[in-house]
């Protein structure tokens, strides 16, 4: 069994398509098919079944994928540790983040860190609350920004970085658009543009509306802050977004209004796998972030 076979197997399993896997691997489709066939022959099992134009993992294929991904992650980490040992300033940091922190916060801290560590590389992964925790637990990323910060979790640990205020956003022609502050209940008759169910900001907004004494009417749903902001600016409803998600100026710009009752905040933290020792370069970035947010507060 060769390392290349495992690489090809993982890529085909993720893409569910030999042609697409071959394109990403920059090899011929026949080479990928041949390596997968040889791997199946060596194992004596069928790893994939054809379903339409796609390939799907068999039950034993899914089991094998879990083990192979763990091996690949450990091998990648071992390679990084060797590079760090030779030169700690040349390592790679694998970090996850939710979309709402990718607009301003993530670029800011990465750029600041690279001012003094210019040769450090970053591998970034965007995800939802649950997917980011899963990726940290599986060892696919070293660190992750997360919101809300999980105070108690069996498999991850970390540090609370900040509490961020959420603002109401309304179309510029809305009757409350020129107000400096409002009570959330003043929006109870409006249609809300809400995040999809897998996003933690949705539950924060729903909980705030419940505290204000009403259940919001949901007119539209989206998956990114830019989409939410754009729909509100276009007059499709109202919503609530974190302050950092409102820093960018665009052509479609809603009005931002402070909510004083109830005051709505979200916690933002940094997590890593419990009981795990971070690579040197990732530990250095973690310490930099803690110092950065102490001085920011």
């Amino acid at each position: 069994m060769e390392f290349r076979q495992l690489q090809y197997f993982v890529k085909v399993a993720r893409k569910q398509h030999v042609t697409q896997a071959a394109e990403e691997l920059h090899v011929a489709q026949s080479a990928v098919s041949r390596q997968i066939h040889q791997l199946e022959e060596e194992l004596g099992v069928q790893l994939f079944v054809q379903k339409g134009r796609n390939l799907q993992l068999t039950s034993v294929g899914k089991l094998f994928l879990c083990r192979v991904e763990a091996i690949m992650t450990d091998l990648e980490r071992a390679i990084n540790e060797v590079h760090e040992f030779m030169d700690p300033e040349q390592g790679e940091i694998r970090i996850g983040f939710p979309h709402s922190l990718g607009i301003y916060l993530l670029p800011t801290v990465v750029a600041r860190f690279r001012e003094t560590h210019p040769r450090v590389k970053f591998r970034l992964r965007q995800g939802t609350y649950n997917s980011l925790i899963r990726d940290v637990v599986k060892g696919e990323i070293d660190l992750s920004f997360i919101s809300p910060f999980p105070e108690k979790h069996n498999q991850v640990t970390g540090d609370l970085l900040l509490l961020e205020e959420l603002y109401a956003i309304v179309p510029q022609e809305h009757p409350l658009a020129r107000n400096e502050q409002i009570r959330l209940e003043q929006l109870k008759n409006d249609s809300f543009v809400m995040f999809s169910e897998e996003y933690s900001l949705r539950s924060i907004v729903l909980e705030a509306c419940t505290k204000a004494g009403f259940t919001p009417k949901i007119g539209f749903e989206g998956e990114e802050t830019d989409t939410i902001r754009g729909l509100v600016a276009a007059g499709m409803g109202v919503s609530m977004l974190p302050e950092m998600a409102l820093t960018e100026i665009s052509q479609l710009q809603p009005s931002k209004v402070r909510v004083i009752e109830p005051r709505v905040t979200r916690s933002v933290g940094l997590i890593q796998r419990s009981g795990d020792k971070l690579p040197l370069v990732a530990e250095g970035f973690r310490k930099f972030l803690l110092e950065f947010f102490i001085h920011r507060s």
Side-chain angles (χ1 to χ4, degrees), residues 13-232:
R14 288 176 176 170
K15 304 301 294 186
Q16 296 187 349
H17 203 283
V18 172
T19 302
Q20 292 177 13
E23 288 175 354
E24 287 202 9
L25 290 164
H26 305 292
V27 297
Q29 180 179 335
S30 58
V32 176
S33 297
R34 183 169 58 254
Q35 293 293 341
I36 295 297
H37 179 67
Q38 290 176 358
L39 183 61
E40 288 181 323
E41 280 196 334
E42 185 171 346
L43 292 171
V45 297
Q46 187 176 7
L47 297 171
F48 295 97
V49 291
Q50 191 80 37
K51 191 163 185 180
R53 294 183 177 181
N54 291 344
L55 289 176
Q56 287 192 349
L57 287 166
T58 61
S59 296
V60 69
K62 291 178 182 177
L63 177 64
F64 189 59
L65 177 64
C66 289
R67 299 299 187 188
V68 171
E69 283 184 323
I71 291 169
M72 301 283 275
T73 297
D74 285 344
L75 179 59
E76 186 178 348
R77 194 161 193 172
I79 292 170
N80 286 337
E81 285 176 355
V82 170
H83 289 162
E84 285 177 13
F85 181 81
M86 300 302 294
D87 185 355
E89 291 295 320
Q90 217 167 223
E92 179 181 74
I93 300 168
R94 303 174 303 162
I95 187 162
F97 64 98
H99 175 265
S100 60
L101 296 179
I103 300 168
Y104 171 76
L105 177 64
L106 184 69
T108 299
V109 295
V110 168
R112 188 73 63 82
F113 184 75
R114 282 176 59 86
E115 288 176 3
T116 51
H117 303 79
R119 289 183 295 164
V120 171
K121 297 177 183 178
F122 283 84
R123 187 183 302 185
L124 308 176
R125 178 174 296 189
Q126 181 178 310
T128 61
Y129 180 84
N130 289 326
S131 71
L132 291 171
I133 289 181
R134 182 189 65 231
D135 291 344
V136 168
V137 171
K138 290 174 68 177
E140 293 185 1
I141 51 180
D142 305 308
L143 296 163
S144 183
F145 290 106
I146 196 116
S147 179
F149 177 64
E151 295 287 350
K152 293 182 180 179
H153 195 285
N154 291 333
Q155 296 174 292
V156 299
T157 186
D159 301 279
L160 176 65
L161 300 177
L162 70 124
L163 289 177
E164 183 184 19
E165 187 172 1
L166 268 68
Y167 284 78
I169 56 170
V170 301
Q172 292 199 5
E173 64 276 11
H174 192 280
L176 301 174
R178 301 293 173 262
N179 288 36
E180 289 188 8
Q181 56 191 33
I182 63 171
R183 300 185 313 279
L184 189 55
E185 67 172 351
Q186 291 177 263
L187 298 178
K188 66 181 180 181
N189 294 323
D190 287 273
S191 176
F192 272 70
V193 181
M194 196 72 74
F195 281 93
S196 302
E197 290 187 357
E198 63 267 30
Y199 289 85
S200 59
L201 281 170
R202 179 190 180 100
S203 58
I204 293 173
V205 175
L206 287 175
E207 184 180 343
C209 291
T210 300
K211 286 182 180 178
F214 69 96
T215 300
K217 295 177 292 185
I218 301 175
F220 292 89
E221 293 187 358
E223 295 187 351
E224 295 191 345
T225 54
D226 292 344
T227 303
I228 303 293
R229 189 174 59 184
L231 288 170
V232 171

Side-chain angles (χ1 to χ4, degrees), residues 66 73 219 245 248 253 266:
C66 289
T73 297
E248 188 180 14
Q253 192 73 16
R266 68 164 177 171

